[in-house]
Amino acid sequence: MAARGSNRTRLLWISLLVTSLFLITLDLRGVSIITSIRSGVQSVLTPFQKAGSSVFSPLGNLFDDITNLGRTQSKIDALKEENEQLKSQLILNENIVGELEQLKGVLDLAGQAKFKVVPARVITRGGTATFGETIVIDKGTSAGIKRDMTVIATSGLVGVVKSTTTNSSVILLMSDPSFRVGVRVAGTQDMGVLSGGGDNRFTIQMLSATGQIKVGDVLLSRGSSGDRPFVPGVPVGKVSFVESSAGQLTKQGRVEGFVDLDGLGVVSVVLNAVAGDPGEALVPRAPKPAPTVTVFVTPEPTPSE
Amino acid sequence: MTINRVPGIVAVFSLMFLLQEALINHVPFIIGGFSLYLAFFIVWVMQEERGSAVASGFIAGFIADLSPTLEAPFGLWSFVFTVVAYLVANNVRSALDSDLSPVTISLVAVFGSATALVMFLISGAILGQEVGSANYVLKELFGNSLWTLLLSPIYAPISIKLYRATLTARNR
C-alpha cells in the first residue's frame, strides 16, 4: 500500500517536472502568451507596488543612511540639532527634496543632449535574491514608453526598458549580469562592450586589438540603430582598472558606473534623441578646484623692541 | 493531497507573492536580499507529505514564475520548487521527528533556500542565463541565508499557522 503511494508520488513528481520543462520550452521559443501573462501580472501588481513605495520610501532612505553612515555623518550631525517634533516631518521633506534634485539633474542631462524624455518614479525593485537587477517605474505605454528604450538618471545611463504595461514599466538595470551596452571612450573614440556583473562595478572589453583604455577614461554609450535600445552619448561610467595580461587579444578593464543604482528615486525614459548624437557634450566635467587663498603674515615689532 | 486544498494553497502563495513584490522588494537589505516567498515555502513543505509537497512546490513555483521582473525563463522556478519540495519532503520529513523544533525549522529554511537558489542559478546557466560575478553570487547567497535565519521567528510561525488553516478535516 505504502509502495503504491510512493509510486504515485513519483509519478506526480515526474509529471510536474515535465510540465515545468514544457513551460520553459514554450518561453524559450518565444510564445507570446507567457509574456502577456507576466504583463498582466505587472498591471495587477502596479497599484500595490505604488502603495508599498509610498510606505517604504522614507524607510528606504533610513536604510540607505545606515549603509552610508560614514558619508552621511555630517548630515546626521545636522539632523541631531533639530528637535524631536520636526524629525518625522524632516524625513518626509528630505524624501521629496531628494526626488526633486534627482528629477532636476536628469532633466538637465536630457536637456543638454536634447533628448525627449518622460520622467518617472521608481516604485519598486525587482525580486531580491533572484540574481536579477531590475526596477519598476510608474509610467508605461500611456506615457509613450515602449520596450527597448534607454533609461537615464542624473549622471548617466541606468538601463533599458524590458517590458511595459499601461501604467508601469520594468527596467533592466545596467548592473544585471545579462546587460550589455556598446560604449566608446570619450576622446579616443575607441569602442568596446560594457557588461553588468551584478553589483555597481562593470567590465569592459575593447572590440579591436588596437583599442586602448586607461584608468580615468570616461565611457559613453555608442548608440543603436533607430536609437533603440541605446541613444548615443549617454555617460556610462569611468574606467577604474585596466587588466594587463600578455595573452589577451583585446584590452579589458573594470568600470565604475556614474549612477548609484541602489539609490534611484527618479529616472527618465528617453523617447527619442531629437538632435541626434550629442557627441561628448554630456561627459561629466571635473569640479573646478577652489582658489587657494594664501595669507602672508608680516611680524610687527613688539613695543618692547 | 485532496483537491479541496488547492484553492487555499493558491490563495496563500499569491498573498506571499504580493507581499514579496509590493513590500519586501522595497527594503534595501544591507547584505544581499531576502526572499520571504522562498523561506515561507521551505517551512511550508517541511510540514507536507511527499505527494502534497510536490504539488504545493509546483503551485508555488508557478506563482513565482509570474514575477514580471524575473529575468529567467517562465517555468524555471516551477522546476526548482518542485525538485526542492521533493527533496525536503523526502529527506527532512522522513529523517526528523514529526514535531520539528524551531531551530531545526530555521536551519532547514536556510539550507533549503540556499539549495533552491543554487539550483536556480545552475539551471539558469544551463539554459543560457548570465550568472554574474562570483562575488555577487556569494554575496546574494550569504545575504539571503543570513536574513532567512534572522527573520525565521517572524515568518516560520505564520507559515505553520497558514499551513494548518489550509488543511481539510480529512487531512487533520
Side-chain angles (χ1 to χ4, degrees):
Chain A
M1 193 76 175
R4 208 171 70 185
S6 175
N7 284 342
R8 270 179 58 187
T9 303
R10 270 199 205 111
L11 188 65
L12 175 68
W13 186 53
I14 290 165
S15 314
L16 293 174
L17 287 182
V18 170
T19 311
S20 310
L21 293 173
F22 177 67
L23 287 171
I24 293 171
T25 313
L26 282 183
D27 190 41
L28 291 178
R29 289 180 70 88
V31 175
S32 59
I33 190 163
I34 303 283
T35 320
S36 311
I37 291 172
R38 279 184 173 162
S39 293
V41 171
Q42 181 55 50
S43 302
V44 174
L45 284 175
T46 302
F48 296 102
Q49 288 171 334
K50 280 184 182 170
S53 173
S54 54
V55 171
F56 269 81
S57 200
L59 189 67
N61 287 349
L62 183 72
F63 274 95
D64 214 27
D65 279 352
I66 291 168
T67 52
N68 296 307
L69 204 56
R71 276 175 277 172
T72 53
Q73 193 57 50
S74 57
K75 196 174 167 186
I76 292 166
D77 289 341
L79 280 172
K80 275 181 183 169
E81 292 167 16
E82 301 289 334
N83 65 49
E84 288 299 319
Q85 262 188 332
L86 284 173
K87 268 186 182 170
S88 59
Q89 187 59 44
L90 192 66
I91 291 167
L92 287 172
N93 286 348
E94 270 188 356
N95 186 33
I96 294 162
V97 169
E99 283 190 357
L100 276 174
E101 273 175 11
Q102 286 194 6
L103 182 62
K104 185 183 173 299
V106 74
L107 289 178
D108 282 351
L109 185 78
Q112 229 176 327
K114 293 186 180 156
F115 291 152
K116 191 180 172 194
V117 296
V118 174
R121 283 185 63 204
V122 177
I123 53 175
T124 188
R125 284 191 76 88
T128 52
T130 53
F131 307 104
E133 300 287 319
T134 50
I135 52 169
V136 182
I137 58 171
D138 66 346
K139 295 278 168 64
T141 48
S142 59
I145 297 174
K146 292 177 191 160
R147 192 186 150 90
D148 286 340
M149 283 180 164
T150 311
V151 183
I152 58 173
T154 313
S155 17
L157 188 69
V158 168
V160 68
V161 179
K162 186 190 148 205
S163 63
T164 55
T165 66
T166 315
N167 291 316
S168 65
S169 305
V170 178
I171 312 299
L172 183 71
L173 293 178
M174 57 188 283
S175 55
D176 189 275
S178 65
F179 189 90
R180 301 280 182 278
V181 57
V183 291
R184 62 187 165 83
V185 180
T188 64
Q189 305 299 316
D190 285 336
M191 293 192 288
V193 176
L194 182 119
S195 319
D199 45 18
N200 217 14
R201 297 176 85 184
F202 310 89
T203 52
I204 182 173
Q205 171 120 38
M206 300 309 285
L207 287 179
S208 74
T210 53
Q212 294 295 319
I213 42 169
K214 59 181 188 300
V215 172
D217 275 348
V218 172
L219 303 174
L220 302 167
S221 64
R222 212 169 59 217
S224 315
S225 167
D227 292 338
R228 282 167 71 182
F230 298 107
V231 290
V234 178
V236 175
K238 200 156 74 169
V239 178
S240 60
F241 178 75
V242 180
E243 285 176 21
S244 51
S245 164
Q248 282 174 354
L249 288 176
T250 58
K251 286 263 182 197
Q252 288 181 15
R254 284 205 291 270
V255 175
E256 269 176 31
F258 283 130
V259 179
D260 174 18
L261 298 172
D262 293 326
L264 290 172
V266 177
V267 295
S268 278
V269 181
V270 181
L271 299 184
N272 59 43
V274 181
D277 189 348
E280 290 174 16
L282 305 182
V283 173
R285 305 278 169 234
K288 282 181 186 173
T292 311
V293 180
T294 313
V295 180
F296 295 98
V297 181
T298 315
E300 285 180 17
T302 53
S304 60
E305 287 174 353
Chain B
M1 183 176 79
T2 53
I3 203 83
N4 292 344
R5 281 190 65 212
V6 172
I9 295 171
V10 171
V12 168
F13 280 102
S14 299
L15 178 71
M16 282 299 133
F17 176 72
L18 193 65
L19 273 177
Q20 177 73 44
E21 292 284 323
L23 293 178
I24 305 295
N25 286 353
H26 282 283
V27 182
F29 290 98
I30 297 163
I31 311 162
F34 170 56
S35 178
L36 168 72
Y37 190 80
L38 190 52
F40 180 89
F41 164 74
I42 300 290
V43 177
W44 182 282
V45 289
M46 258 187 266
Q47 303 162 83
E48 295 268 26
E49 286 173 15
R50 260 191 300 186
S52 43
V54 289
S56 300
F58 182 78
I59 293 168
F62 189 88
I63 294 170
D65 273 322
L66 293 173
S67 174
T69 55
L70 198 63
E71 267 299 289
F74 196 99
L76 190 56
W77 269 130
S78 305
F79 180 80
V80 171
F81 273 55
T82 311
V83 173
V84 170
Y86 185 80
L87 290 177
V88 172
N90 208 26
N91 298 307
V92 178
R93 194 77 197 133
S94 56
L96 300 169
D97 298 335
S98 56
D99 289 327
L100 299 172
S101 73
V103 177
T104 313
I105 290 175
S106 304
L107 291 177
V108 174
V110 170
F111 286 112
S113 300
T115 308
L117 288 175
V118 170
M119 276 190 64
F120 177 78
L121 207 64
I122 294 171
S123 333
I126 292 168
L127 292 169
Q129 294 285 303
E130 294 291 339
V131 174
S133 65
N135 264 350
Y136 170 68
V137 170
L138 289 175
K139 196 179 88 180
E140 287 289 317
L141 282 175
F142 175 74
N144 188 66
S145 301
L146 181 73
W147 297 117
T148 304
L149 184 68
L150 293 179
L151 299 174
S152 59
I154 300 169
Y155 65 78
I158 298 171
S159 178
I160 292 166
K161 276 188 184 148
L162 285 175
Y163 168 76
R164 285 177 187 161
T166 63
L167 289 177
T168 57
R170 198 177 148 196
N171 296 133
R172 284 191 192 103

